[in-house]
Amino acid sequence: ECETHNGEGVDSPALDALLMDLTKVNNSRDRANRLFQDNWEKKPILIQRQNPDFYKGLFSTAEFDQILRNDDVQYGVNLDVTSYTNGKRETHNPPGRALPYTVWDFYESGCSLRMLNPQAFSSTVWQVLSILQEKFGSMAGANVSEDEVLPLVSSPNFNQNEIGQPIMDVVLEAGDLLYFPRGFIHQGDCLPNAHSLHITISSFQRNSWGDLLLKLMPASLEIAMEEDVEFRKGLPLDYLQFMGVQNSEKDDPRRSKFIAHVEGLMKNLVSYAPVDAAVDQKARDFLHDCLPPMLSAEEKASSVYGAPARWGDGKALDVTVQLKGQTQIRLVRAGAARLCGDGDTVSLFYTTENSRVYHKEEPKSTEMKTEHIDAMEFLIHSYPKFVSVASLPCETMEAKMSLAELLFEKGVIRTAEPLTAE
Amino acid sequence: ECETHNGEGVDSPALDALLMDLTKVNNSRDRANRLFQDNWEKKPILIQRQNPDFYKGLFSTAEFDQILRNDDVQYGVNLDVTSYTNGKRETHNPPGRALPYTVWDFYESGCSLRMLNPQAFSSTVWQVLSILQEKFGSMAGANVSEDEVLPLVSSPNFNQNEIGQPIMDVVLEAGDLLYFPRGFIHQGDCLPNAHSLHITISSFQRNSWGDLLLKLMPASLEIAMEEDVEFRKGLPLDYLQFMGVQNSEKDDPRRSKFIAHVEGLMKNLVSYAPVDAAVDQKARDFLHDCLPPMLSAEEKASSVYGAPARWGDGKALDVTVQLKGQTQIRLVRAGAARLCGDGDTVSLFYTTENSRVYHKEEPKSTEMKTEHIDAMEFLIHSYPKFVSVASLPCETMEAKMSLAELLFEKGVIRTAEPLTAE
Amino acid sequence: ECETHNGEGVDSPALDALLMDLTKVNNSRDRANRLFQDNWEKKPILIQRQNPDFYKGLFSTAEFDQILRNDDVQYGVNLDVTSYTNGKRETHNPPGRALPYTVWDFYESGCSLRMLNPQAFSSTVWQVLSILQEKFGSMAGANVSEDEVLPLVSSPNFNQNEIGQPIMDVVLEAGDLLYFPRGFIHQGDCLPNAHSLHITISSFQRNSWGDLLLKLMPASLEIAMEEDVEFRKGLPLDYLQFMGVQNSEKDDPRRSKFIAHVEGLMKNLVSYAPVDAAVDQKARDFLHDCLPPMLSAEEKASSVYGAPARWGDGKALDVTVQLKGQTQIRLVRAGAARLCGDGDTVSLFYTTENSRVYHKEEPKSTEMKTEHIDAMEFLIHSYPKFVSVASLPCETMEAKMSLAELLFEKGVIRTAEPLTAE
Amino acid sequence: ECETHNGEGVDSPALDALLMDLTKVNNSRDRANRLFQDNWEKKPILIQRQNPDFYKGLFSTAEFDQILRNDDVQYGVNLDVTSYTNGKRETHNPPGRALPYTVWDFYESGCSLRMLNPQAFSSTVWQVLSILQEKFGSMAGANVSEDEVLPLVSSPNFNQNEIGQPIMDVVLEAGDLLYFPRGFIHQGDCLPNAHSLHITISSFQRNSWGDLLLKLMPASLEIAMEEDVEFRKGLPLDYLQFMGVQNSEKDDPRRSKFIAHVEGLMKNLVSYAPVDAAVDQKARDFLHDCLPPMLSAEEKASSVYGAPARWGDGKALDVTVQLKGQTQIRLVRAGAARLCGDGDTVSLFYTTENSRVYHKEEPKSTEMKTEHIDAMEFLIHSYPKFVSVASLPCETMEAKMSLAELLFEKGVIRTAEPLTAE
């Protein structure tokens, strides 16, 4: 719902480089590039480029000024104004909309400005994050800081003693990139009289094996209790007499027997673990977290947004220009839609109707008819190849058409060529 | 937050005419124009113009098509799709965004389209409604209907028998205007094979003397109970024995005495009635209901939205260009702000930070410092004359500046000339 | 649900005297007794009797000890333990049930004990309060304080300066009674080394003419707006321009006209005031606030609680012993039930299923069939006379029986003689 | 809060027999009694005694009649009245209290009466259930049915076809006992013209190994994620591309590697399983579900309920009679209190302040001071032996006294002899 301000999409070669930087990690066949291979989730990486224009086009203070002018940026919601006095942080957000008149006045008075969800306002940031989220299979977030002065204080969660000596202490110049793994304590200061604009991108939160097990374990147990009588058998009538903290130092032979039985059951859980279903649970959450795909002009033209149906000459025109059997289609993006098991049914979850504001929309999904499931899988696995509607593996032409129509209307697929009236 | 689509503001002479039509009622000195004088709140008025272009520019199906293309119009929230079969209404809203591709398909299948808050998308409708609300001192709403077929059924709240014979039965042509008072039962049909686009504007809801008394009576009683011991005296110990429905047919002399005493107290309430405070309660509600003022390019330039503070050449520029003592200021609109008593304090309520979506924002107000109240009244009553900041009746120059600054930042006032760096 | 501890009912002659004291006020024909006449709602009354046994039987510390032993008295809910150190009050309620073992230990350490709803535990207090509420037509509450030491501090809501000089300063001895009107500031101290047990009874809260108007005014206005077009007419279109706090000092002739019109409408409200319906609203609240009637053994025997239906000899016995046409009936208490208008219907509200714990039960009512309403009124107005079921003014014997049956099952009526099998 | 109606406790020899029946299962050393050993959780057991008086004293229709008379039995809450017409069940609960007058009328008209929580009204049922819950380490519930006619319909959850042929079809006579394991579908009919009174006791719900794992698995995972970096490592960046339902039929080598890794982690969870803490979670729930212990007259006398502190002769008496170092103490019941880990602290959970109405009270617990923990364990493990306060393993006499005092006040311990003044 918000317009973008610096052209359509990202075309700076340097930005391509950034994206390549950030995503090389993902290409396990690239033996030449061990940089991320060796550091990912392990060590920080600092890339110093001596090229202040390297990230030109990603985000600029001038773009920030334009956003304030054109969009409804709200203090406290989209922008935080803070200052540090004697090592204490203070917030100065007035109520209401942030306009350049007040924002630059705060800035000149020495306040820091932090934009909380630049992806909702800047299409470049939107695009960068949506590419990242696709590459990493995990939500990506961002904030942008604008400072003249930055405090010499660290995160309030730790005091200096607890942290110990820093392992890295560098001056970042314009064009530099610093990666560090989840969980690294860090602190930014601003050199005297320097203007600093930096963008912080975070991703790969709550994406560990343990997070997957949080979904998998309850599901495994539910299945085990249904299918395996051992899990339904009653506990020993007297188990409270020898188990529990108050009995933990008792030397009772029943204790080890009880614990061994529990451990046996825990190991048996493995046989009931619905791994794919648990992955689907994570996938569903992820598709809800995602930014919607940012479409290029060409993509818009070939999707529902560019369909020729319109009002003109006092009547509805080109309403009949619709998909045909020979129309070539594919997903708009690899990750824009996904089939997930959802209890007894299979549903298609998709990102195309998400908002650029985090979780502003409910999760979007539609239950799949049985006759559509194979065709949907076929379409997903065909990406990035276009396939004709007629080639979808449904029994009837009607089913093929209705699936394609459904997906087209939700913006999940695009056509190879824009739909036109002959 | 939404862009407008048909130019800046309204410049069709016909639109001026409409506004004149609608607001003549308000000009009690215009003796020549008795039309609304005689009909307002009494009888319908039909103006037939034989000029289909009369309202050109107010809203068109082409603009509607553009809105679908550019804005996030949601089925069920902003657009209702309905059909009538055998006199029964059915709603067909799918989930998600309404795009031309699906909307015109519904239309071609014979469905009616009703846009529920066109003022959020069309700046012309926004402007018309915001002028109306200012003239009528009461919220104005609108919806737009697009039909090929309109049902021969009336509101489901009444059946044909209860209603009786219609008092008016006319064919409205493009350019015509039909006014009818609050409470008139009406029903629209569509002539066969005619495309119909009409806009319904409603105003003056909950704006009766009774609605004012709903605010005034509890306030009067609260004051009376505090100030007048007669209201605090106990009821007769035995009143339950002769009053109440079960005793209403009793011929007990205590009944008439009791009723007379109640009536005496009710009449005494008049002495405690805080009429201005009750009006303020209604005013507060009204200012929350209001659309924000729609500013012209010139108004924007002379308000906080056009202040020159900006980012340029790697630094914040023109931050020091601010209001001065000699700066000429006035409210942006007569009704954009109002001083209201709010318990023990006086607050300024204002419409400039309202949303074009009804009640999407909380009521906006700021408590007035005592030193600012007189100056604020002065400013309100000076409208539409500009006055200098220095002329505000505050004791100190500092107070004058801080009030002007506050109002300017909230967009409540504009300057006579755009602020510029000398 | 809780047993009483000092016999069935109240039989001390002194208690009779107390009740006479407290209720004389109600007897306006008793010319000889001007005491309450002159003081009620005006001045305190002190009755010093030099008879420490005068209120013997009302409540004793021994009864309190028994209640702790037999009932589920909870600290913080039913009993507050407090101490005063340097004029500061502290609360010492532990969690859980209050038993003599801990309660008397607190007492010996100098704490004050305050029982919050003695009526739920003591049947004497229950009876006294239920008689008071009947006489005063207003809820009656109580608490009992047990002190060895009482603080020299007053209510924390006032400081000594605000209060000024006391108008009365007396030592209350056992057997004395002190009445003071609602709103009198008071403070109790305990003489050194004296054990003090006093009961505080409050009534007549929220029972003023103003409280009645709080129900009556909104109802009057609703009716006026429905029936009188003057209340539905629109406010002047420009009223916001001359009314309200910001215009209150304006010398505008429209102001006085506007205010006069408002005052005229306020006075006209009197014609629409549904006084009996408003009294019924208060009555409904009162019947919900009421304690249930405390029945004597004889009353229990003649009501549903004493009906002979029972299990015996392996079968249900005397199930057929029910009301007959010639059975003499009356309400169990004057105030136990009341017919109240309830929107479009008439309902019977009753106290017999209330709890001794304030508002623990929902308000109890049953909608009256049209055929029963006259008979119900007849029954209410006949009290305390017994009337036969057959004499109820219903059209059919069946209707008479079904009404009597309904009332008997809810404990609202009793019979002149216990029901017995012939 | 409710009085018991058939004497103090249970003294019928037949009842002893019932309890023995029901609890023999628990005595694994009783080699002679294989009956329950072989059937528990496996097969129904029918004990036919040809002795209608065998359970005399457990519950009788006469006791039910007494309960209706003396206690606040509410229709719908404590008593359900139902009838079956043409195989369809109807409920007839009127609002309000159930009195013999209406209850026996329903019964005579052919309705079934079901008392939903007889343990709240009958001390015998209370005692039986509280013994069962102690023996089974699991909540026990009951209901009592009173029928003249019982329907020939089964649970509405199944239809006759799904169930198949019954495995047992017997006529139960007074004095008989039928046990069947959790999950057995059953159906009761009433022989024509026979009065049937039966009590249904259920226990051992949600008490399986699986139910323990429901507590254990999340706790294990939380610990593993804190302590083992393998659980915190990120998922493969591309896992969504080969895992999940939509990829489940893919023949991708990454799938088996992924699944094997998950299974490895699941098995490693065993090393982090806090079995005792999980048992404590179940124990906490169980202690909240429990009925409070029913004390005999002798037990009351030796506990806080019988302590001599009281009011007499105008003062608090025997307040100083308290526990001493040589006082012999023990828990009132084996299961009345339990030490459970509760996050970082250890708390004592206890049943003595529970209500006889299920979960009417919040869970009762008190955090244990470190200096009291060993002594508390000692006290629990000493049961049923009495130990002196002085023998508690605390460092100071003061600590010993304060623990004993705390437990005594909550009714958790009793003394060997009633406390008396010397």
Side-chain angles (χ1 to χ4, degrees), chain A residues 237-267:
Chain A
L237 293 179
D238 54 359
Y239 83 110
L240 291 175
Q241 286 155 37
F242 55 81
M243 294 304 299
V245 162
Q246 76 178 19
N247 302 309
S248 59
E249 281 157 41
K250 265 193 188 166
D251 189 20
D252 187 315
R254 291 174 297 180
R255 284 183 57 80
S256 47
K257 200 177 141 203
F258 186 94
I259 292 171
H261 190 69
V262 167
E263 292 180 353
L265 289 171
M266 282 179 77
K267 282 179 182 152

Side-chain angles (χ1 to χ4, degrees), chain C residues 53-303:
Chain C
D53 292 336
F54 191 78
Y55 291 124
K56 199 169 165 173
L58 176 52
F59 196 81
S60 66
T61 310
E63 184 180 356
F64 174 62
D65 184 82
Q66 280 306 307
I67 288 171
L68 296 178
R69 238 159 261 283
N70 296 315
D71 291 315
D72 185 23
V73 177
Q74 291 278 323
Y75 282 116
V77 178
N78 313 113
L79 185 68
D80 270 345
V81 177
T82 52
S83 70
Y84 288 82
T85 318
N86 302 327
K88 243 191 90 190
R89 183 182 155 143
E90 257 185 297
T91 300
H92 302 282
N93 298 328
R97 182 170 161 193
L99 286 165
Y101 182 76
T102 50
V103 168
W104 295 124
D105 198 26
F106 278 122
Y107 177 81
E108 282 287 292
S109 319
C111 291
S112 292
L113 310 172
R114 199 155 66 114
M115 193 168 204
L116 299 176
N117 50 346
Q119 60 270 34
F121 302 101
S122 153
S123 57
T124 331
V125 176
W126 173 20
Q127 187 175 35
V128 168
L129 294 184
S130 70
I131 292 169
L132 281 179
Q133 82 194 357
E134 200 168 310
K135 296 293 179 186
F136 288 0
S138 178
M139 197 186 92
N143 66 65
V144 167
S145 290
E146 197 78 58
D147 307 277
E148 187 89 353
V149 275
L150 244 180
L152 268 160
V153 292
S154 61
S155 152
N157 305 316
F158 302 95
N159 68 42
Q160 222 64 14
N161 290 341
E162 288 174 306
I163 299 171
Q165 289 304 311
I167 61 165
M168 182 184 262
D169 185 347
V170 292
V171 175
L172 286 176
E173 301 284 349
D176 293 354
L177 171 77
L178 175 60
Y179 160 83
F180 45 85
R182 195 176 58 238
F184 267 67
I185 300 167
H186 56 285
Q187 161 186 331
D189 307 331
C190 193
L191 294 185
N193 298 318
H195 168 72
S196 154
L197 170 70
H198 68 274
I199 180 163
T200 306
I201 291 176
S202 62
S203 186
F204 224 55
Q205 307 278 354
R206 302 181 172 277
N207 210 37
S208 69
W209 290 97
D211 291 309
L212 177 62
L213 291 183
L214 282 173
K215 307 283 190 188
L216 181 58
M217 298 313 301
S220 306
L221 191 48
E222 194 184 327
I223 294 173
M225 286 176 79
E226 245 172 58
E227 298 193 356
D228 187 340
V229 70
E230 289 301 319
F231 287 85
R232 287 199 304 276
K233 278 197 183 151
L235 292 161
L237 292 179
D238 55 359
Y239 84 109
L240 291 175
Q241 288 154 37
F242 55 82
M243 294 304 299
V245 162
Q246 75 178 19
N247 303 308
S248 58
E249 281 157 42
K250 265 192 187 167
D251 189 19
D252 187 316
R254 292 175 296 182
R255 284 184 56 79
S256 47
K257 201 177 139 202
F258 186 95
I259 291 171
H261 190 70
V262 167
E263 292 181 354
L265 289 172
M266 282 178 76
K267 281 177 183 152
N268 287 350
L269 268 184
V270 165
S271 346
Y272 304 104
V275 181
D276 281 316
V279 165
D280 279 354
Q281 279 191 52
K282 276 203 72 62
R284 281 209 299 265
D285 289 353
F286 168 53
L287 267 80
H288 186 208
D289 293 345
C290 270
L291 284 164
M294 182 185 148
L295 302 186
S296 68
E298 186 233 336
E299 287 170 327
K300 275 188 187 163
S302 333
S303 72

Side-chain angles (χ1 to χ4, degrees), chain A residues 41 182 207 209-210 217 231-235 240 243-247 255 276 280 338-339 380-381, chain D residues 41 182 207 209-210 217 231-235 240 243-247 255 276 280 338-339 380-381:
Chain A
E41 288 207 303
R182 196 176 57 237
N207 210 37
W209 290 98
M217 298 313 300
F231 287 84
R232 289 201 303 278
K233 277 196 183 152
L235 291 161
L240 291 175
M243 294 304 299
V245 162
Q246 76 178 19
N247 302 309
R255 284 183 57 80
D276 282 315
D280 279 355
R338 183 176 185 92
L339 279 173
I380 288 169
H381 293 140
Chain D
E41 287 207 303
R182 195 176 59 238
N207 211 37
W209 291 98
M217 298 313 300
F231 287 84
R232 288 200 304 278
K233 278 198 182 149
L235 291 162
L240 291 176
M243 293 306 298
V245 162
Q246 74 179 17
N247 303 308
R255 285 184 55 80
D276 281 316
D280 278 355
R338 184 177 184 91
L339 279 173
I380 288 170
H381 294 141

Side-chain angles (χ1 to χ4, degrees), chain C residues 336-355:
Chain C
R338 185 176 183 90
L339 278 173
C340 295
D342 191 19
D344 289 341
T345 62
V346 173
S347 289
L348 186 76
F349 287 76
Y350 51 95
T351 66
T352 50
E353 292 183 355
N354 284 353
S355 166

